[in-house]
Amino acid sequence: MSLIITTYAPEGIILAGDSRLTLNWNKEINGHQTQFSITASDSNRKVFAIKNKFGLGTFGAADIKGIPISGYINQFIEEKITDETNIDDIPQSLHEFFGDGLGKPETSFYLCGYKLENNISVPHIYYVDIAHSQTNRINLDGTNIQYGANWGGETEVMMRLLNNIKINNGTDWVELTTSGIPFNFFTLQDAIDFSIYAVRTTIETFRFQQRIKTVGGPIDILAITTDGTNWIQNKELTAINMP
């Protein structure tokens, strides 16, 4: 699993995600199914820049037929995306590419970018669910552009932090209401900071809890503005000097 978050502010869009690849399997022991999990890699790619115009983040199933999904995403970009491709053409292309031929994996995407409409660059953010053949534009309410954040994958930690909760005071359940976040006043730096906060908080919470550590590794951060894409933070290949 993963945590991918897209934070959309008036100045631009931030797409961020962790780098952990977890292998899970079940094994029968003494007549009972037991789940096992190991961290296979902390250098998995989940956030991609497309043609210096769009951002793509993936979460859910990290492999297709035993092959990491990043290879298929690179193939998809090379085969299906040109310099003339509009962002609203890409969701259908994702469904076609990852559809029946690849078995409709339990994989979802966030697709972010801008499209020129009436000579104005308009932000488009899509949630694409391959397994259920669904596409939703998440930053549009009717005809109004919305600002906010949307995350997929391991969402429990952020949901607990940002939603109302109830606690038991001994005799009754009392609701604790959360304070709202003014995303419409976010600068692009605020969006970067919030994205790091969301992924880092999830990583550290998983670290201390007795649970499978499915979110971890470096945090990749891609900024998408009307000028194109810009890597704020991106893990790079390196060689470790052994003694």
Side-chain angles (χ1 to χ4, degrees):
M1 192 58 80
S2 315
L3 180 65
I4 301 295
I5 178 169
T6 175
T7 307
Y8 30 106
E11 292 181 2
I13 307 161
I14 298 298
L15 183 63
D18 73 304
S19 300
R20 179 153 295 175
L21 174 63
T22 307
L23 299 183
N24 304 303
W25 71 96
N26 293 322
K27 183 177 180 180
E28 186 173 323
I29 300 177
N30 297 326
H32 300 282
Q33 289 291 325
T34 303
Q35 185 179 22
F36 293 87
S37 177
I38 61 171
T39 297
S41 175
D42 269 346
S43 58
N44 195 36
R45 291 185 63 209
K46 303 177 185 180
V47 178
F48 301 81
I50 302 178
K51 297 292 183 180
N52 194 36
K53 294 194 298 183
F54 313 127
L56 187 69
T58 178
F59 59 95
D63 73 287
I64 298 176
K65 300 178 180 179
I67 299 175
I69 196 171
S70 58
Y72 286 104
I73 293 175
N74 290 330
Q75 180 184 349
F76 167 79
I77 295 172
E78 184 176 1
E79 292 182 2
K80 302 297 182 181
I81 308 299
T82 69
D83 292 337
E84 287 72 40
T85 300
N86 286 318
I87 188 169
D88 50 7
D89 298 326
I90 299 178
Q92 183 59 36
S93 295
L94 285 168
H95 285 297
E96 293 172 356
F97 184 89
F98 289 97
D100 294 334
L102 293 177
K104 285 191 174 183
E106 293 283 345
T107 299
S108 297
F109 298 95
Y110 283 120
L111 172 68
C112 312
Y114 286 81
K115 181 183 178 183
L116 201 62
E117 299 177 1
N118 297 322
N119 295 319
I120 299 174
S121 294
V122 177
H124 285 242
I125 304 171
Y126 294 97
Y127 166 71
V128 181
D129 182 342
I130 298 299
H132 300 95
S133 302
Q134 295 180 351
T135 298
N136 296 311
R137 186 175 171 192
I138 60 177
N139 72 320
L140 192 67
D141 181 12
T143 59
N144 298 318
I145 297 296
Q146 300 293 303
Y147 300 108
N150 205 286
W151 43 83
E154 297 284 12
T155 63
E156 178 191 340
V157 172
M158 291 304 295
M159 294 291 286
R160 286 175 178 268
L161 285 172
L162 300 182
N163 287 322
N164 297 342
I165 63 171
K166 289 186 177 182
I167 62 171
N168 193 320
N169 65 2
T171 59
D172 199 1
W173 289 93
V174 178
E175 185 172 47
L176 297 181
T177 58
T178 184
S179 300
I181 298 177
F183 289 104
N184 54 307
F185 289 106
F186 269 24
T187 65
L188 196 59
Q189 184 62 59
D190 292 330
I192 293 170
D193 295 343
F194 182 82
S195 300
I196 294 173
Y197 154 77
V199 181
R200 176 57 59 195
T201 299
T202 300
I203 290 173
E204 294 301 326
T205 301
F206 277 26
R207 172 191 170 197
F208 292 111
Q209 289 182 341
Q210 295 182 6
R211 64 192 301 170
I212 298 173
K213 317 303 183 184
T214 52
V215 183
I219 302 172
D220 288 333
I221 306 167
L222 180 68
I224 306 103
T225 67
T226 56
D227 294 327
T229 60
N230 179 37
W231 285 106
I232 306 302
Q233 189 167 286
N234 186 23
K235 55 182 171 288
E236 298 179 353
L237 296 175
T238 186
I240 300 175
N241 294 322
M242 301 298 291

